[in-house]
C-alpha cells in the first residue's frame, strides 16, 4: 500500500497510529541529532522526524533527500514539542521507521513555495511544477468547485448538459476562426467554434428546452490578460422564455455560486440600460464598486469663449472626492495619463473646491466664481473635492473619461478585490457601426432579436434599434452576455439583409438555421458566461491564466509543449496544403 493517509489529515486525535504517507519533499532541516522533513501532497504538509540516536542509517537516508524527491514513509504519529498552529497537521509529526525513495528528482528550476523566485515564462515552461504550488493549485480547486456548483444548480433547474461538435464551420461572430484542414475533403476546412451558438439554438428547435454546456471555445484574437485563444464558457439556452426569465434564472445561478463557494450573499443584481451605462460611466461594463458617475456640463459651459468647450460635442466630468489637495504634480500626472496615446485625450480641465470654500480652476480666465459655483453644484461637490472635466466628440470623450474614472478609482482605493458589484446591462443596441468597413455589424451576434417596438426603425435609423440583449458585469468585467433570439425565418432573413448578406450568402452560411426555423422553432434565448473570468474574479486575480491548468503565453504559445509547431512535408501533402516557403 502506498499510503494510509494523505499529508493533510493527521492530527492530535491520531496519536499512536501507525501510518504510511507518500508525497514530495518540501524541505528538510538538520538539527544535529534530529532531521526533520516536510512531506507534501495535494492535501497538505506533514512533518517527519528522523532520530540519529535511535536509527542512524535511516537518518542518514533522510539527510540525502532533496527537494521534490518522491518518498514513502511509515511510522508512528506522535505529538510535536514545537507545534505549528498555522497548519492543520501542526500538532503532530511522524516518527519514521521506514523510508523509501519512490523517485529522486532534479532540483526544480524555481522554488516550489507560495512565494516563488520563478519568472512567468519559466513557470509556464515547467507548468507541472508551478501547479504544485498552493496558490496555483488552489485556483484549480476553486475552479472545480465552481463547475460542480454550476452543474448542481442547472441540473436542479432541469437543464440538460449536451455536447456539441468542435469541428464545425466558420461562422461570423466577431472574431477570427481557428481552422483545421480536412484531409478527406481536400481544400476544405473545419473551423473551431467561437461558441456553440447555432447548435444550442438548433437544440431548442429539437425540443431540448433547457441546455447547458461547460465548453471550450476558440477565438483567434490578439491576447490580453483576460483573453486566451481557447477559453471556457458556461453556455446556456432556454425555450419558451422571455428576457426576464433568463435574467432571473441566471442571477440565481450567480447568487448560488457566491453563496456556496464564497459564503457571500450577493443580494439582488441591479439593472442598467446600455444608454445609461454609456452616459454615466462611459462604458458598457461599468465598475460599480464606486460611484463617481459622469456629470454632463454642456448647458453650463458653452458660449464663455473657451474654444475647447465651445467646440466640443460633449463636456463631461467626474468628482474626485477629497482630491482638492492634489498637488500641481499630481494633477499633471492625471493630464499625462489621459494624453497617453492609448487614451488620446487632448487635455484635462480641473476645478478645485478648496477646504476654505474657495474655487480654483484651470480655466479661470473664461469663467467667473458664480459659474464655477454652478459647476460644483451640479456635481454635488463639497469643500475638498476635485472636479475633472474633459471635452470632445461624445463617444470618444466618454471612453476617455471612463479610463480616468477607473484610474481615480484605483488611486483612491475604491476597487477592492473583496467587494463584488454585479450589474445587468440591458437594452444593448442591435447594430454597431463599423467605421473601417462602412457598414453595420451585429453588436451581439446576427441571431439576436430586435426589440419588437424598434423593428420599424431598422430601415430609417438602424443605429437606434435596441436588442433584447444583456450582459452580466461584475466589478467592471463582462462576465456573461446573451440575448433573446430571432426564431422566425422571415425576421432572420431581414436581419441578414441588414447585415449586408445577399440572400444567397445567407443561405450558404446559415441555410441550416433558416431551414430549421421552418420546422417549428420555439421562441428561445440564452446566455454564455466566461467561466475563466468568473473564476478569476472569485480568486481575486486580474489574469485568467492562473485559473487554467495549462494556459498559453501572450503570443498564443504553449511554451511547455512548444506549440504551435511546424508539421512535416508528408503531413502537409496529405492535407493538401501547399506552402509558399
Ligand atoms: N454565443 C454568445 C457568445 O459567445 C452568447 C449567447 O448569446 O448566448 O457571446
Amino acid at each position: 500500500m502506498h499510503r494510509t493517509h494523505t499529508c493533510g489529515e493527521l492530527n492530535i486525535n491520531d496519536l499512536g497510529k501507525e501510518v504510511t504517507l507518500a508525497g514530495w519533499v518540501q524541505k528538510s532541516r538538520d538539527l544535529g541529532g534530529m532531521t526533520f522533513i516536510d512531506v507534501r501532497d495535494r492535501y497538505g504538509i506533514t512533518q517527519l522526524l528522523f532520530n540519529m540516536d535511535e536509527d542512524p542509517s535511516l537518518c542518514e537516508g533522510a539527510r540525502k533527500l532533496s527537494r521534490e524527491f518522491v518518498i514513502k514513509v511509515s511510522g508512528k504519529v506522535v505529538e510535536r514539542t514545537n507545534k505549528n498552529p498555522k497548519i492543520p497537521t501542526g500538532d503532530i509529526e511522524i516518527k519514521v521507521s521506514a523510508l523509501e525513495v519512490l523517485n529522486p528528482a532534479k532540483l526544480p528550476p524555481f522554488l516550489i513555495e507560495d512565494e516563488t523566485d520563478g519568472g512567468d515564462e519559466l513557470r509556464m515552461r515547467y507548468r507541472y511544477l508551478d501547479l504544485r504550488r498552493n496558490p496555483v493549485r488552489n485556483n484549480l480547486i476553486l475552479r472545480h468547485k465552481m463547475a460542480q456548483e454550476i452543474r448542481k444548480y442547472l441540473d436542479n433547474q432541469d437543464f440538460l448538459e449536451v455536447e456539441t461538435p468542435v469541428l464545425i464551420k466558420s461562422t461570423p461572430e466577431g472574431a477570427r476562426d481557428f481552422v483545421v484542414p480536412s484531409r478527406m475533403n481536400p481544400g476544405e476546412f473545419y473551423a473551431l467554434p467561437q461558441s456553440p451558438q447555432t447548435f444550442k439554438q438548433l437544440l431548442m428547435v429539437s425540443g431540448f428546452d433547457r441546455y447547458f454546456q461547460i465548453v471550450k471555445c476558440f477565438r483567434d484574437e490578439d491576447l490580453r490578460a483576460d483573453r486566451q485563444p481557447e477559453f471556457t464558457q458556461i453556455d446556456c439556452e432556454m425555450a419558451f422564455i422571455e428576457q426576464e426569465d433568463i435574467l432571473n434564472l441566471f442571477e440565481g445561478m450567480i447568487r448560488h455560486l457566491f453563496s456556496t463557494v464564497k459564503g457571500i450573499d450577493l443580494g439582488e443584481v441591479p439593472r442598467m440600460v446600455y444608454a445609461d451605462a454609456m452616459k454615466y460611466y462611459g462604458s458598457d461594463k461599468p465598475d460599480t464598486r464606486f460611484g463617481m458617475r459622469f456629470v454632463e456640463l454642456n448647458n453650463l459651459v458653452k458660449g464663455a469663449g473657451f474654444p475647447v468647450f465651445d467646440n466640443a460635442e460633449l463636456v463631461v466630468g467626474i468628482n474626485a472626492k477629497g482630491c482638492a489637495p492634489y498637488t500641481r504634480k499630481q494633477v499633471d500626472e492625471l493630464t499625462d495619463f489621459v494624453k497617453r496615446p492609448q487614451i488620446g485625450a487632448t487635455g484635462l480641465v480641473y476645478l478645485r473646491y478648496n477646504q476654505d470654500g474657495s474655487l480654483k480652476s484651470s480655466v479661470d480666465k473664461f469663467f467667473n466664481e458664480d459659474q464655477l459655483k454652478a459647476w460644483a453644484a451640479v456635481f454635488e461637490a463639497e469643500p475638498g473635492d476635485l472636479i475633472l472635466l474633459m471635452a470632445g466628440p461624445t463617444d470618444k470623450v466618454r471612453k476617455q473619461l471612463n479610463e480616468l474614472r477607473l484610474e481615480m478609482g484605483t488611486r483612491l482605493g475604491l476597487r477592492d478585490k473583496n467587494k463584488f458589484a454585479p450589474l445587468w446591462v440591458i437594452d444593448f443596441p442591435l447594430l454597431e457601426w463599423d467605421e473601417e468597413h462602412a457598414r453595420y455589424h451585429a453588436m451581439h451576434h446576427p441571431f439576436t432579436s430586435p426589440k419588437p417596438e424598434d423593428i420599424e426603425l431598422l430601415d430609417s435609423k438602424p443605429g437606434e434599434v435596441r436588442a433584447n440583449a444583456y450582459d452580466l458585469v461584475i466589478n467592471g468585467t463582462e462576465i456573461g452576455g446573451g440575448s433573446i433570439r430571432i426564431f422566425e425565418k422571415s425576421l432572420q432573413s431581414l436581419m441578414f439583409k441588414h447585415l449586408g448578406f445577399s440572400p444567397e450568402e445567407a443561405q450558404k452560411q446559415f441555410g441550416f438555421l433558416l431551414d430549421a426555423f421552418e420546422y417549428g422553432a420555439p421562441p428561445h434565448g440564452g446566455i454564455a458566461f466566461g467561466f475563466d473570468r468568473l473564476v478569476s474574479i472569485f480568486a481575486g486575480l486580474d489574469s485568467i491564466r492562473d485559473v487554467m491548468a495549462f494556459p498559453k503565453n501572450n503570443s498564443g504559445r504553449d511554451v511547455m509543449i512548444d506549440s504551435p509547431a511546424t508539421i512535416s512535408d508528408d503531413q502537409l501533402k496529405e492535407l493538401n496544403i501547399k506552402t509558399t516557403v
Side-chain angles (χ1 to χ4, degrees):
M1 199 198 296
H2 272 310
R3 59 183 179 188
T4 55
H5 296 80
T6 69
C7 298
E9 65 174 308
L10 295 167
N11 59 44
I12 204 80
N13 301 319
D14 299 300
L15 291 184
K17 279 189 190 156
E18 287 293 336
V19 298
T20 300
L21 300 183
W24 289 260
V25 172
Q26 177 75 27
K27 62 175 184 226
S28 67
R29 271 155 298 142
D30 248 331
L31 303 179
M34 311 238 227
T35 294
F36 293 98
I37 305 264
D38 281 350
V39 62
R40 178 197 78 235
D41 67 8
R42 175 190 140 187
Y43 305 91
I45 283 185
T46 301
Q47 178 165 294
L48 309 175
L49 165 67
F50 298 83
N51 195 320
M52 198 51 144
D53 293 338
E54 289 177 20
D55 194 337
S57 72
L58 188 66
C59 200
E60 286 298 342
R63 284 182 184 179
K64 292 202 188 99
L65 298 176
S66 307
R67 277 174 183 270
E68 304 305 315
F69 273 40
V70 187
I71 59 168
K72 171 178 161 182
V73 291
S74 297
K76 191 186 205 158
V77 182
V78 297
E79 189 165 359
R80 271 206 221 181
T81 40
N82 210 345
K83 296 193 171 149
N84 178 358
K86 286 194 204 126
I87 57 173
T89 63
D91 288 348
I92 58 101
E93 60 197 356
I94 312 297
K95 206 169 160 218
V96 178
S97 53
L99 163 69
E100 188 186 331
V101 174
L102 297 175
N103 210 346
K106 289 212 306 202
L107 199 65
F110 51 87
L111 278 177
I112 313 287
E113 304 274 359
D114 291 5
E115 296 292 333
T116 179
D117 55 352
D120 268 0
E121 202 69 11
L122 191 65
R123 288 190 292 120
M124 296 270 270
R125 187 151 153 230
Y126 295 93
R127 183 65 171 174
Y128 50 90
L129 295 180
D130 203 24
L131 287 169
R132 286 185 189 167
R133 299 194 307 117
N134 290 320
V136 190
R137 187 186 45 243
N138 287 339
N139 292 338
L140 291 187
I141 294 173
L142 171 70
R143 185 182 178 109
H144 162 84
K145 274 196 201 141
M146 292 176 68
Q148 298 313 307
E149 289 303 333
I150 288 160
R151 290 205 162 89
K152 240 190 256 172
Y153 179 86
L154 293 175
D155 180 55
N156 269 331
Q157 302 279 345
D158 284 333
F159 280 76
L160 296 171
E161 188 165 13
V162 181
E163 289 169 83
T164 51
V166 172
L167 294 176
I168 63 164
K169 185 169 85 167
S170 195
T171 55
E173 275 202 73
R176 233 172 269 119
D177 285 315
F178 280 103
V179 296
V180 179
S182 163
R183 179 182 58 81
M184 289 191 283
N185 303 278
E188 296 188 315
F189 295 81
Y190 300 101
L192 304 182
Q194 294 182 31
S195 87
Q197 184 61 35
T198 48
F199 288 96
K200 65 175 173 175
Q201 291 191 240
L202 292 172
L203 285 170
M204 295 305 109
V205 180
S206 306
F208 277 80
D209 198 38
R210 291 182 168 208
Y211 142 94
F212 87 101
Q213 188 180 189
I214 299 185
V215 61
K216 270 289 171 75
C217 300
F218 306 84
R219 292 182 193 177
D220 189 3
E221 292 173 304
D222 294 336
L223 306 178
R224 296 195 304 238
D226 59 354
R227 275 205 194 142
Q228 283 272 314
E230 52 179 301
F231 60 98
T232 304
Q233 283 192 343
I234 311 162
D235 190 45
C236 310
E237 194 78 5
M238 303 168 79
F240 304 117
I241 41 80
E242 289 175 348
Q243 172 166 310
E244 195 59 29
D245 303 304
I246 300 221
L247 299 188
N248 289 332
L249 196 136
F250 289 99
E251 185 170 325
M253 184 181 89
I254 295 297
R255 274 215 296 269
H256 173 82
L257 274 180
F258 270 97
S259 82
T260 53
V261 177
K262 283 194 93 69
I264 290 175
D265 177 4
L266 201 59
E268 202 168 302
V269 177
R271 297 181 189 183
M272 190 185 295
V273 296
Y274 171 89
D276 282 351
M278 299 312 289
K279 185 176 164 78
Y280 295 117
Y281 298 92
S283 165
D284 59 1
K285 38 179 185 290
D287 185 344
T288 48
R289 279 174 295 187
F290 63 104
M292 220 188 274
R293 281 162 51 118
F294 292 8
V295 174
E296 299 185 350
L297 285 192
N298 279 14
N299 53 9
L300 289 181
V301 300
K302 293 274 188 183
F306 179 46
V308 174
F309 285 177
D310 286 347
N311 300 333
E313 192 182 1
L314 179 68
V315 180
V316 56
I318 51 174
N319 179 5
K321 289 220 82 59
C323 292
Y326 265 31
T327 59
R328 180 63 192 264
K329 189 164 156 267
Q330 281 172 301
V331 175
D332 286 348
E333 255 173 41
L334 295 179
T335 309
D336 290 343
F337 173 82
V338 296
K339 280 182 162 176
R340 291 184 322 172
Q342 303 94 306
I343 300 182
T346 45
L348 193 61
V349 169
Y350 70 82
L351 168 61
R352 260 183 229 286
Y353 196 166
N354 294 318
Q355 276 305 347
D356 63 9
S358 64
L359 291 159
K360 169 91 192 86
S361 85
S362 52
V363 285
D364 283 353
K365 257 206 285 185
F366 301 97
F367 299 95
N368 63 33
E369 170 125 20
D370 282 344
Q371 285 170 309
L372 298 181
K373 261 193 193 142
W375 297 8
V378 291
F379 278 97
E380 295 177 5
E382 296 167 310
D385 292 352
L386 176 69
I387 289 165
L388 300 166
L389 299 178
M390 295 174 79
T394 303
D395 292 351
K396 206 159 150 194
V397 78
R398 281 177 172 168
K399 261 192 208 128
Q400 293 165 343
L401 190 61
N402 163 50
E403 298 290 344
L404 181 64
R405 173 180 175 270
L406 293 176
E407 170 69 14
M408 292 311 298
T410 304
R411 282 176 185 239
L412 295 172
L414 302 172
R415 304 178 75 191
D416 178 358
K417 290 209 160 96
N418 295 311
K419 190 174 161 190
F420 298 96
L423 175 74
W424 284 114
V425 178
I426 58 172
D427 293 1
F428 273 81
L430 182 71
L431 302 165
E432 185 177 35
W433 182 248
D434 175 351
E435 280 292 344
E436 198 186 324
H437 301 99
R439 48 168 282 217
Y440 279 104
H441 270 311
M443 189 148 183
H444 187 50
H445 51 53
F447 320 109
T448 297
S449 71
K451 282 192 177 289
E453 63 269 31
D454 289 1
I455 290 183
E456 58 181 34
L457 297 174
L458 261 176
D459 280 320
S460 53
K461 297 180 189 152
E464 289 181 19
V465 178
R466 291 163 307 158
N468 276 320
Y470 32 79
D471 273 1
L472 180 73
V473 175
I474 301 180
N475 295 358
T477 300
E478 181 199 328
I479 290 295
S483 61
I484 300 299
R485 324 297 184 192
I486 296 168
F487 67 103
E488 309 100 326
K489 181 171 177 172
S490 54
L491 185 54
Q492 187 65 71
S493 301
L494 181 69
M495 201 49 216
F496 284 139
K497 188 182 122 207
H498 278 283
L499 293 172
F501 286 79
S502 69
E504 296 73 35
E505 276 169 335
Q507 190 60 33
K508 184 160 178 262
Q509 283 265 11
F510 296 109
F512 62 96
L513 189 69
L514 293 169
D515 289 349
F517 284 176
E518 291 187 299
Y519 288 97
H524 61 284
I527 190 163
F529 296 90
F531 186 44
D532 313 283
R533 286 190 194 170
L534 191 58
V535 181
S536 67
I537 286 207
F538 270 55
L541 298 168
D542 295 321
S543 162
I544 60 171
R545 264 199 220 171
D546 273 341
V547 300
M548 295 180 159
F550 298 104
K552 295 185 174 42
N553 74 6
N554 278 344
S555 340
R557 297 199 68 83
D558 182 326
V559 290
M560 183 182 67
I561 61 170
D562 195 17
S563 160
T566 51
I567 56 175
S568 72
D569 286 344
D570 284 349
Q571 276 174 299
L572 285 170
K573 214 192 258 159
E574 205 171 40
L575 293 168
N576 251 283
I577 295 178
K578 294 182 193 67
T579 51
T580 49
V581 279

